[in-house]
Amino acid sequence: MDQPQTGADPHAEIREEVRKLCARFPGEYWRELDARRGYPTEFVTALTEAGYLGALIPEEFGGAGLPLSAAAAILEEIHASGCNAAACHAQMYTMGTVLKHGSEAQKRQYLPKIATGELRLQAFGVTEPTSGTDTTALRTFAKREGDKYIVNGQKIWTSRAEHSDLMLLLARTTPRDQVTKKTDGLSTFLVDMKAALGNGLTIRPIRTMMNHNSCEVFFDNMEVPAENLVGVEGKGFRYILDGMNAERMLISAECIGDSRWFIEKAVDYSKQRVLFGRPIGQNQGVQFPIAKAYAQMRGAEALLRKGLEKFEAGLPCGEEANIAKMLCAEASWAAAEACLQTHGGFGFAEEYDVERKYREARLYQVAPISTNLVLSFVGEHVLGMPRSY
């Protein structure tokens, strides 16, 4: 399905080139990876060489210097083409912490290499088994000792840990009972994962319902040079929050792409599948769920576009980013349900790719932020209701 537009698309050329690239990685490629839980190295390399993963890195550091809407268009088209950007999408937004809060030396050391693909910054160490989305309750601790920090603790759902050179790590540097605000005392670090692996860092893959390369990571007296502290010690929570609106809108764009893929697949099959003497798409019981999913997608897409516009204009966009993430995820799931139901038994067959995309789409009602937390944000910060947690 082509990208629905109400006017000229400023990123039409980028979209077309991304579609051409994705055509080199058909369903067979993803099915083979899915079967063995493999990492799409060739796909990530192709995206890197084309400059797409460095889209948001400024030109002075070797990137494309594109706006967030262009990055969203890239990710949307990847998913609309039947591919999956989860293997590398974090590289787009995680580097924002370094770009906005890193020292000049850190920017010049890391950003050009991230832009060229020489270094992969795809691992984001925040969530822990005991704290979940209550980030301020995390227990991983980094203790300063001379010119280094000693890190102990663990993280979970650290996707791509096995395939990343660098990890952006959030750890407590001041005990929680010694800070006035619970959001204080958290610091952000760049971890050289290749150097740390086997030297205090242990990575344990987690097998999940979709091929997401998720891992649990353990820190046992892992050393991090003090120069790898990003920004000011104790202010890391703010740095992480800084990039969350961008992250949520980029994930929303992936959901729109998934919706387009499911709807196109469902429409095509409903026209071709003939039962009782006529195409099943002629039946309202088949047609209406697909049409409704399309309507949901267009509504969610409109709010996402508004959020991207406000982000690029430097305006507050927390409301749009959070609600768009929720609505886009729900739209993609509605499209997935309609697509699977339309295909009937064939929807469960691997060769149709519906079941793979179905599993992948379900994730985004949980990550990177759950629907309930979005609703809590809206209740408190948009509607002015009492804090619910």
Side-chain angles (χ1 to χ4, degrees):
M1 173 184 289
D2 291 335
Q3 163 63 15
Q5 289 293 326
T6 54
D9 180 7
H11 306 308
E13 187 174 336
I14 290 176
R15 290 180 183 276
E16 179 60 29
E17 291 304 313
V18 172
R19 284 195 288 269
K20 290 178 183 177
L21 185 153
C22 289
R24 292 156 44 192
F25 301 91
E28 294 87 345
Y29 173 79
W30 298 96
R31 289 197 293 274
E32 191 276 330
L33 288 171
D34 198 58
R36 62 180 172 87
R37 291 298 194 263
Y39 184 78
T41 301
E42 303 84 2
F43 179 66
V44 174
T45 299
L47 289 175
T48 303
E49 291 176 348
Y52 295 129
L53 297 189
L56 298 176
I57 296 176
E59 291 184 35
E60 66 175 301
F61 297 116
L66 296 174
L68 190 67
S69 57
I74 291 168
L75 295 177
E76 180 185 332
E77 291 305 322
I78 288 172
H79 281 248
S81 298
C83 301
N84 192 295
C88 52
H89 59 194
Q91 188 142 316
M92 280 190 171
Y93 51 78
T94 305
M95 70 85 207
T97 301
V98 180
L99 179 63
K100 289 185 178 181
H101 305 289
S103 66
E104 194 63 26
Q106 287 173 335
K107 293 176 189 178
R108 301 210 171 274
Q109 178 181 355
Y110 295 112
L111 293 180
K113 293 180 180 179
I114 293 171
T116 62
E118 185 177 344
L119 288 177
R120 289 179 178 171
L121 173 55
Q122 296 177 6
F124 196 22
V126 176
T127 307
E128 296 183 3
T130 57
S131 60
T133 47
D134 185 3
T135 304
T136 60
L138 62 82
R139 298 177 182 179
T140 296
F141 200 88
K143 182 180 180 182
R144 179 72 181 258
E145 290 187 2
D147 60 355
K148 62 192 175 192
Y149 286 85
I150 307 299
V151 183
N152 285 282
Q154 70 181 109
K155 299 291 179 179
I156 198 167
W157 309 125
T158 305
S159 299
R160 303 161 296 273
E162 294 180 293
H163 307 280
S164 186
D165 299 297
L166 299 170
M167 174 196 293
L168 188 66
L169 172 68
L170 185 67
R172 188 160 283 286
T173 44
T174 303
R176 195 178 186 188
D177 59 6
Q178 294 180 23
V179 294
T180 305
K181 294 176 60 179
K182 61 182 181 179
T183 54
D184 289 338
L186 294 166
S187 301
T188 310
F189 301 89
L190 276 171
V191 177
D192 182 338
M193 299 187 72
K194 303 302 183 186
L197 190 61
N199 295 304
L201 172 65
T202 302
I203 301 174
R204 182 184 299 165
I206 303 171
R207 190 173 176 88
T208 60
M209 67 182 284
M210 64 283 181
N211 183 26
H212 206 69
N213 304 109
S214 293
C215 299
E216 189 170 16
V217 293
F218 300 85
F219 313 110
D220 183 12
N221 291 322
M222 181 183 74
E223 296 184 3
V224 178
E227 64 192 35
N228 284 28
L229 173 71
V230 178
V232 179
E233 182 180 299
K235 304 300 180 184
F237 184 75
R238 300 178 193 176
Y239 303 159
I240 297 297
L241 281 181
D242 225 13
M244 285 187 172
N245 285 336
E247 176 194 42
R248 284 165 194 173
M249 286 191 280
L250 290 177
I251 297 297
S252 296
E254 292 184 2
C255 292
I256 294 297
D258 283 336
S259 297
R260 289 170 51 199
W261 187 89
F262 283 121
I263 291 167
E264 180 180 19
K265 197 88 169 173
V267 168
D268 288 347
Y269 188 79
S270 74
K271 292 177 180 177
Q272 298 165 8
R273 180 66 165 165
V274 175
L275 286 176
F276 304 109
R278 65 185 197 169
I280 62 172
Q282 191 173 342
N283 301 314
Q284 292 181 352
V286 173
Q287 185 180 118
F288 283 10
I290 301 172
K292 186 174 182 180
Y294 178 81
Q296 283 184 254
M297 178 192 74
R298 292 309 307 272
E301 179 192 35
L303 188 60
L304 171 59
R305 304 296 171 215
K306 183 66 175 179
L308 291 168
E309 289 174 8
K310 293 181 75 171
F311 183 94
E312 292 176 359
L315 299 173
C317 59
E319 176 179 347
E320 290 80 7
N322 279 279
I323 299 178
K325 192 275 169 182
M326 180 181 76
L327 296 182
C328 289
E330 290 178 348
S332 66
W333 186 241
E337 283 280 318
C339 185
L340 184 65
Q341 196 70 19
T342 299
H343 281 76
F346 290 110
F348 294 89
E350 290 182 352
E351 64 181 285
Y352 282 76
D353 292 310
V354 175
E355 62 86 29
R356 171 179 61 84
K357 293 284 283 184
Y358 185 90
R359 287 184 280 113
E360 293 170 353
R362 183 60 180 86
L363 172 66
Y364 293 125
Q365 291 186 68
V366 175
I369 183 174
S370 71
T371 298
N372 283 347
L373 276 179
V374 170
L375 294 173
S376 294
F377 174 89
V378 173
E380 179 183 356
H381 297 286
V382 178
L383 302 178
M385 300 169 74
R387 186 181 179 91
S388 63
Y389 61 95

